[in-house]
Amino acid sequence: SRQQIDNEMLQLLLFLMANHEVNIISGAHETQMHWQLRSLNERVGLFAQNGNVVYRDGGQTILWKEELTIQQQATILTHISRLRDAYQFPQYDTVEIRGAQISLSLVGHHADYEIKKNFDPMGKRRKVLLDIVPLESDDIEIAIGGTTCFDYFPRGKNKGFNIKRYMKGSNISECHYVGD
C-alpha cells in the first residue's frame, strides 16, 4: 500500500521488459504510480485509475483519459456521506478525487501501514457496510480495493475492460495478467 516497488520486483520487471511489453495497471493516481515505480515509469505503460487514464513513454503520450462527470462525482460524494453517517470514519485523508476515479479509505489513505494491512484484508467489513448502504447508480461502479478502500469509477470501466480495450486497439492477441 503506497510503497515503492522493492529491488526484487524492480529486477523482475526489468527481466520481463527485455522481451515483453509491460504495462502496470492500478487504481492509484498516475503521480503516485510514478513515485511507486521509481525508474521504471518511463519504460512501462501506466494504466492509472483502473486503466481509465493511460500513459505511454513516461507520460509523454496519453492514449486516453476518461474522467468522471460532475454528476457522477456528486453521486459518489453523496454515497460517501451516507457511508459516513452509517460508519464513523475520520474526516481527514479519506477521500481522494483522482479524476477518473474517487477512492475512499475508511482509515485514511496515509494511515500507518500496519493499521491498513490489518483493517479488512478480506473485504468482509466493507461488504457488510455496502449491504447496509448500497450504491444506487446506473453509471457508477464501486469496488472493494486493497484493505481499506472503496473505489468508485464509471460502470464497466474496470481494469479488465481497459486491458481488453488496450489489447484490441494495439492488436495484441495474448496478455498475461498478474495481480493481488
Side-chain angles (χ1 to χ4, degrees):
S1 175
R2 296 182 181 260
Q3 305 292 312
Q4 285 188 317
I5 59 172
D6 62 25
N7 285 328
E8 182 180 0
M9 180 61 71
L10 178 65
Q11 294 307 312
L12 175 62
L13 289 171
L14 287 169
F15 174 77
L16 290 171
M17 290 166 56
N19 295 306
H20 304 283
E21 176 181 337
V22 174
N23 297 296
I24 309 292
I25 189 165
S26 173
H29 191 277
E30 47 275 20
T31 55
Q32 179 183 332
M33 291 180 72
H34 280 290
W35 179 79
Q36 288 178 300
L37 292 170
R38 303 183 336 189
S39 62
L40 286 182
N41 59 41
E42 292 190 14
R43 300 171 62 188
V44 298
L46 297 180
F47 288 57
Q49 304 178 57
N50 287 317
N52 289 304
V53 180
V54 178
Y55 292 90
R56 303 287 308 163
D57 310 317
Q60 300 300 315
T61 305
I62 300 174
L63 297 183
W64 63 78
K65 185 173 188 174
E66 296 184 5
E67 297 191 335
L68 294 164
T69 67
I70 297 296
Q71 181 57 45
Q72 288 171 321
Q73 289 183 34
T75 298
I76 294 166
L77 295 174
T78 297
H79 186 252
I80 289 172
S81 178
R82 291 178 49 229
L83 287 171
R84 187 169 270 124
D85 290 343
Y87 178 84
Q88 299 300 312
F89 51 89
Q91 295 285 332
Y92 61 93
D93 190 38
T94 56
V95 177
E96 286 186 354
I97 301 173
R98 298 176 180 163
Q101 174 179 313
I102 294 179
S103 181
L104 167 66
S105 172
L106 295 177
V107 299
H109 286 285
H110 296 90
D112 181 79
Y113 176 71
E114 288 299 315
I115 291 170
K116 291 173 78 170
K117 183 174 91 172
N118 295 314
F119 178 74
D120 187 21
M122 304 307 291
K124 292 177 184 176
R125 292 170 75 178
R126 288 169 288 158
K127 172 75 172 96
V128 168
L129 187 53
L130 283 180
D131 289 342
I132 295 168
V133 186
L135 174 65
E136 297 172 8
S137 173
D138 293 333
D139 63 343
I140 299 295
E141 186 172 334
I142 185 170
I144 293 174
T147 59
T148 71
C149 290
F150 290 123
D151 295 326
Y152 299 83
F153 48 89
R155 183 166 302 285
K157 301 283 181 87
N158 55 34
K159 292 175 184 175
F161 170 85
N162 283 308
I163 289 171
K164 290 175 187 171
R165 175 181 179 187
Y166 177 74
M167 289 176 64
K168 182 177 181 181
S170 301
N171 293 318
I172 296 172
S173 61
E174 185 176 343
C175 170
H176 298 275
Y177 179 91
V178 178
D180 56 2

